[in-house]
Amino acid sequence: GIGLGTTMPSYKLHVNGTGYFSGNITCAGEVKSNSASDARLKTNVQKLTASNLLREVNSYTFNWTDEGMQLRGINYRSDEGFIAQEIKAIAPHFTTDNMWGKGYLGIDKNKFIPYLVAGWNEHDNRISALEKENKDLRKEIELLTKLLS
């Protein structure tokens, strides 16, 4: 294999370090993305609250400009997503500056995943509480109806 940053490649192409691609990456097989997440590597761990942040995020449909299509290496115009300037205003750590060395903003969409999971959990807990309250109120109504009959 070919090794970049390693003298003992484990794969046909083994890169030990950061790589940069200015175009698209196409894969006919499975793409695996792993990042360290072991609790032993973390301190000051706190539950994430997501609903407030997610309420501020807008999703859009839009058309790429010719330059946007060229820079992104895509051949389709219509797309959906976010506006990086809006995301930067509410969650600057989700954005990257100076894409392609031209000052354009980018978004690390993987940063949304923990917030989406936390938001789903928050809503699931709220739904469960409302279902319980609804069940209790139905019992009260049933009891009051029996008393009035």
Side-chain angles (χ1 to χ4, degrees), residues 133-149:
E133 180 182 0
N134 187 30
K135 184 179 177 182
D136 293 345
L137 289 171
R138 287 182 181 274
K139 284 181 182 178
E140 284 184 43
I141 291 170
E142 186 179 321
L143 179 63
L144 289 171
T145 303
K146 285 182 183 178
L147 290 173
L148 292 172
S149 317

Side-chain angles (χ1 to χ4, degrees), residues 21-102:
F21 297 86
S22 62
N24 293 331
I25 298 173
T26 303
C27 178
E30 187 176 336
V31 175
K32 296 182 180 180
S33 174
N34 297 312
S35 58
S37 190
D38 193 297
R40 296 171 293 179
L41 300 174
K42 301 173 183 181
T43 63
N44 195 26
V45 176
Q46 300 174 24
K47 277 211 171 194
L48 189 63
T49 304
S51 291
N52 291 338
L53 180 133
L54 292 175
R55 269 189 209 97
E56 295 184 48
V57 174
N58 296 305
S59 300
Y60 299 97
T61 61
F62 56 87
N63 293 326
W64 289 105
T65 63
D66 290 340
E67 184 182 19
M69 290 172 60
Q70 180 185 6
L71 288 170
R72 297 197 52 190
I74 58 174
N75 61 2
Y76 54 88
R77 189 169 296 280
S78 180
D79 210 347
E80 56 280 324
F82 310 106
I83 303 296
Q85 285 81 351
E86 291 181 6
I87 301 302
K88 186 171 186 166
I90 58 175
H93 61 290
F94 284 25
T95 61
T96 55
D97 293 325
N98 204 21
M99 297 282 297
W100 305 288
K102 294 182 176 253

